[in-house]
Amino acid sequence: MTGLTAELVVDGRAPHTPALAPNGQMLCYVLAPISRTGNHLDTEIWLVNTDDVTTSHRATTDTATESRPRWSADSGTLFFLSDCADRSTSQVHRLALADGTADPVTNWGAGIIDHLPLADLTMVALLAEDELTEQDAHRIRDRDDAIVVGEREPRARLRLLDLRTGLVTTPDVFGDRHVVELRQRPDGGPLAVLTRASSDKDYGPRTGQLHLFDLRTGTATDFGAVEAEAHSLAWWPGEDGWHLAHLALTPPVLQAGTAVFDLAVDSRTVRNRTSDLPMCPTELHQTDADPLVVFADGLNTTLARLDPTGPTTLSQHTGCLDDLSTTPAGDTIAALTSTRYQPANVHIGPATGPLRRLTNTRPELDAIALGAQQPLNHRAADGLDLDGLLVLPVGSSAADGPFPLVTIVHGGPYDRYADRFQLSWVPSAQWLAAAGYAVFLPNPRGGKGHGHQFAASVAGRIGQEEWTDIQTGIDLLIAEGVADPDRLGIAGGSHGGFMSAWAVGQTDRFRAALVVAGVIDWGMLTATGEYGLFEAALGGSTGWSGIGPHPHDAVSPISFAGRVRTPVLLLHGAEDTNVPLGQSVYFHRALRHFGVEHEFVIYPREGHSIRERNHQLDVLRRTRAWFDRWLQS
């Protein structure tokens, strides 16, 4: 067996967005590098014969960002986006399987955001922003480009490409609304269209509306508002006519479990089809009949069919089932899935299971020694059943403990740890297990996988019960002799970074902490982050809620900075717009003021995720060195 290095972690390539041809005979997927070395992430579209994986080959030889593969209805043509001609400006390309040639079919100045081949093989629906006018070009050239918020905001519009002529037309529908998703009825009928009032990430997701667009007449019908963060449109035929379903947040608060909302088109009656379930829908997929639903189900995943009477389980899968693709009949699926000790690959099989692996994109990891991973079930202080994962140091069993323990809290908080491969460029369980650490991956309340109420329970109460949930897991591992109580560390990114910063303001039990792009002040994040009012739902208030103190002050780590005694490593991307850099600057200044030992690292050009290779290598090496310094002595 070979030892794990930082280079092995970041230098691999991973598959994304598998797409099955309607006839089930061919499959394509995007192969993307884990890290970026230049200004662009060069990706590739690969094709696989589902009956003969040895015929796997790349669709083009271009150096480009290739993405969003979509098949024609007759399975004879693959459409995808590529920026090979003008980097960062994607156009639709068409690959004919008959001769293997790929050619661009659009030349839209603003680039194409998304596309949908239609039942009429001569037509493709597009999502694209308006092209620059001559006046716009002059303003940019002359630097007369003051930004007036609310004016000339970029909006994606529905456009139609005629493949026979190359002509792109823009139907005069939906006013000035931003179009985010399209789905054609399985019989070739109208398009379901999801729009928002704006592309602004704070405002837009709360303003969704649903429409139908008749391709024959060019007219639209409005069906009114949908719940926040609506997505994943799917048609299905019922005894009472056509239905149109989608995923969205369960009302009324903006921190909640997702649900499947089902609209009966003729009566306009809307139902929540997944209320009171102890699991959370994560993907919804259209077939010619009842749609398929992917559910986060504890540490694992359930695939179900949305029958008229309710979801009917088809198969259950260890870990995750991501980026599902299905044939029109819904009998064959392809998806990304992994094991505890193998990274995600494309798998295919019947919807009822089992699935067989089609790709092996990271064979270099086959010889790497990994830590034993196991589910961990425990109870919260109030008796709530919880789960998580424990990863032991490489080559060790629980009986060899106690070990230094690092608890890594997931982000979101509406996310989860699933029982899958735990190795990535962010400080991950297997990366630390290779250095002799036991790692606890908790799933406290607020995450997905246990239904709506479990997720919604943290709204306005972050850092409360979810923090005690984490502590009970740590206490259990100490009691069982796995964790050394004198060598505890805590880490996390984004919301996990919040929990790490929160923890060290509540207790001195941790000897070291890692905060990656963490939330330090909820009022400040509401005011400056991309998803302001979603963050306000977590923090419980906004800064404009009158004279303070405000509820969010009581759950912000900055309020407890004077209590911190634990050494803290702060990492943050300079261009992060989700959790802006100012959050870490705020904590850094407070820790400096109180004389707390800490290190603050800023990564230029990086956003909420660190993408550049050298930066990813630095994150891995620096974080392991940080915990070694404080926990291995």
Side-chain angles (χ1 to χ4, degrees):
M1 301 292 270
T2 305
L4 186 64
T5 66
E7 287 81 4
L8 272 172
V9 176
V10 308
D11 286 342
R13 299 193 297 173
H16 300 270
T17 58
L20 265 174
N23 63 12
Q25 297 175 6
M26 295 293 293
L27 177 142
C28 63
Y29 62 93
V30 176
L31 189 62
I34 293 169
S35 61
R36 189 181 72 234
T37 55
N39 293 326
H40 304 280
L41 187 70
D42 298 328
T43 61
E44 304 169 356
I45 300 284
W46 280 72
L47 289 165
V48 184
N49 185 314
T50 57
D51 291 326
D52 183 8
V53 297
T54 62
T55 62
S56 174
H57 64 281
R58 195 183 164 196
T60 76
T61 59
D62 297 326
T63 299
T65 300
E66 298 177 342
S67 65
R68 298 187 182 271
R70 310 270 192 269
W71 289 96
S72 61
D74 66 356
S75 301
T77 305
L78 176 67
F79 296 89
F80 60 95
L81 298 184
S82 173
D83 64 357
C84 59
D86 181 9
R87 299 309 304 265
S88 300
T89 304
S90 293
Q91 303 294 340
V92 178
H93 284 59
R94 172 177 55 189
L95 172 69
L97 292 188
D99 59 17
T101 58
D103 300 297
V105 292
T106 62
N107 187 27
W108 191 257
I112 305 299
I113 297 170
D114 205 352
H115 61 109
L116 178 67
L118 300 178
D120 179 348
L121 299 179
T122 66
M123 300 296 293
V124 177
L126 308 174
L127 292 185
E129 296 176 0
D130 293 339
E131 294 184 292
L132 290 177
T133 65
E134 185 175 343
Q135 182 182 15
D136 291 332
H138 281 303
R139 291 178 67 247
I140 293 172
R141 183 197 62 197
D142 297 339
R143 295 181 179 267
D144 181 21
D145 53 356
I147 298 172
V148 180
V149 175
E151 293 185 9
R152 292 193 295 271
E153 288 184 350
R155 283 173 167 79
R157 304 189 193 280
L158 169 65
R159 309 182 197 273
L160 298 174
L161 166 66
D162 189 325
L163 293 168
R164 297 164 297 187
T165 63
L167 182 65
V168 175
T169 57
T170 303
D172 185 16
V173 288
F174 315 129
D176 204 30
R177 294 184 64 79
H178 174 62
V179 182
V180 293
E181 191 174 332
L182 311 169
R183 187 73 64 228
Q184 188 171 26
R185 209 167 67 187
D187 64 351
L191 291 179
V193 182
L194 186 63
T195 69
R196 295 173 179 172
S198 167
S199 59
D200 180 276
K201 292 180 179 179
D202 171 50
Y203 176 59
R206 299 178 285 117
T207 63
Q209 291 187 6
L210 190 58
H211 319 262
L212 296 189
F213 176 70
D214 191 317
L215 290 155
R216 297 168 301 166
T217 65
T219 58
T221 303
D222 296 334
F223 280 87
V226 290
E227 302 299 341
E229 290 201 319
H231 63 287
S232 295
L233 299 171
W235 290 90
W236 63 277
E239 293 183 357
D240 55 346
W242 284 101
H243 285 240
L244 183 57
H246 65 274
L247 297 181
L249 288 182
T250 306
V253 296
L254 295 178
Q255 164 61 31
T258 51
V260 175
F261 292 92
D262 176 22
L263 166 71
V265 173
D266 289 342
S267 66
R268 301 202 176 192
T269 302
V270 178
R271 287 192 299 155
N272 180 341
R273 296 290 306 280
T274 55
S275 60
D276 301 323
L277 289 180
M279 50 188 182
C280 299
T282 60
E283 296 185 21
L284 181 66
H285 293 273
Q286 178 172 301
T287 72
D288 287 341
D290 301 319
L292 300 182
V293 189
V294 179
F295 287 96
D297 187 0
L299 295 168
N300 301 307
T301 298
T302 293
L303 178 64
R305 188 178 297 281
L306 192 65
D307 295 328
T309 57
T312 299
T313 296
L314 297 176
S315 55
Q316 294 179 309
H317 305 264
T318 301
C320 286
L321 201 67
D322 293 323
D323 288 352
L324 187 77
S325 178
T326 176
T327 55
D331 52 353
T332 301
I333 63 169
L336 299 178
T337 188
S338 71
T339 70
R340 291 177 183 175
Y341 307 112
Q342 291 181 325
N345 272 290
V346 180
H347 289 67
I348 190 172
T352 53
L355 305 181
R356 60 185 172 90
R357 191 176 71 179
L358 279 186
T359 63
N360 183 19
T361 59
R362 302 209 63 190
E364 68 275 14
L365 295 179
D366 291 346
I368 299 299
L370 298 170
Q373 177 173 311
Q374 61 191 57
L376 182 69
N377 296 295
H378 62 106
R379 285 193 170 179
D382 59 3
L384 183 67
D385 289 330
L386 300 168
D387 59 41
L389 296 171
L390 171 65
V391 179
L392 294 169
V394 172
S396 300
S397 69
D400 299 320
F403 309 102
L405 177 78
V406 177
T407 298
I408 307 178
V409 188
H410 66 65
Y414 194 58
D415 201 348
R416 65 164 176 159
Y417 284 116
D419 194 5
R420 60 178 172 181
F421 193 60
Q422 299 292 339
L423 178 66
S424 68
W425 65 265
V426 294
S428 56
Q430 291 294 354
W431 174 245
L432 291 174
Y437 295 94
V439 182
F440 174 40
L441 305 176
N443 282 325
R445 68 194 79 194
K448 66 177 69 170
H450 296 281
H452 163 63
Q453 290 301 327
F454 185 88
S457 63
V458 301
R461 295 190 55 78
I462 45 172
Q464 306 304 300
E465 290 84 359
E466 64 174 324
W467 168 228
T468 60
D469 290 348
I470 293 169
Q471 289 199 93
T472 58
I474 296 172
D475 292 341
L476 174 65
L477 293 173
I478 292 172
E480 292 184 345
V482 173
D484 182 344
D486 296 322
R487 292 190 294 167
L488 300 177
I490 190 163
S494 194
H495 188 84
F498 153 72
M499 287 303 305
S500 184
W502 175 259
V504 296
Q506 306 303 309
T507 178
D508 293 337
R509 72 187 307 189
F510 299 105
R511 290 184 59 185
L514 167 65
V515 178
V516 183
V519 182
I520 305 303
D521 185 289
W522 288 97
M524 183 175 165
L525 187 62
T526 298
T528 61
E530 285 179 321
Y531 299 95
L533 288 186
F534 292 87
E535 312 295 1
L538 289 168
S541 61
T542 66
W544 54 81
S545 301
I547 298 174
H550 302 105
H552 66 256
D553 294 325
V555 293
S556 292
I558 196 64
S559 300
F560 301 90
R563 299 181 184 177
V564 177
R565 300 294 180 268
T566 303
V568 179
L569 174 60
L570 291 168
L571 308 180
H572 217 122
E575 306 300 326
D576 191 345
T577 53
N578 186 324
V579 178
L581 176 62
Q583 294 282 325
S584 285
V585 172
Y586 200 179
F587 206 38
H588 156 65
R589 291 181 178 179
L591 296 178
R592 183 175 59 189
H593 174 79
F594 290 112
V596 179
E597 180 139 15
H598 70 287
E599 187 174 299
F600 182 24
V601 183
I602 301 170
Y603 295 103
R605 301 174 300 281
E606 300 286 13
H608 199 51
S609 293
I610 307 301
R611 298 300 186 192
E612 294 186 20
R613 179 179 185 272
N614 286 335
H615 291 163
Q616 290 183 346
L617 290 171
D618 185 80
V619 169
L620 289 169
R621 292 167 179 158
R622 188 179 299 275
T623 54
R624 187 187 279 182
W626 183 256
F627 285 118
D628 286 350
R629 176 182 174 186
W630 299 104
L631 302 188
Q632 296 287 18
S633 58

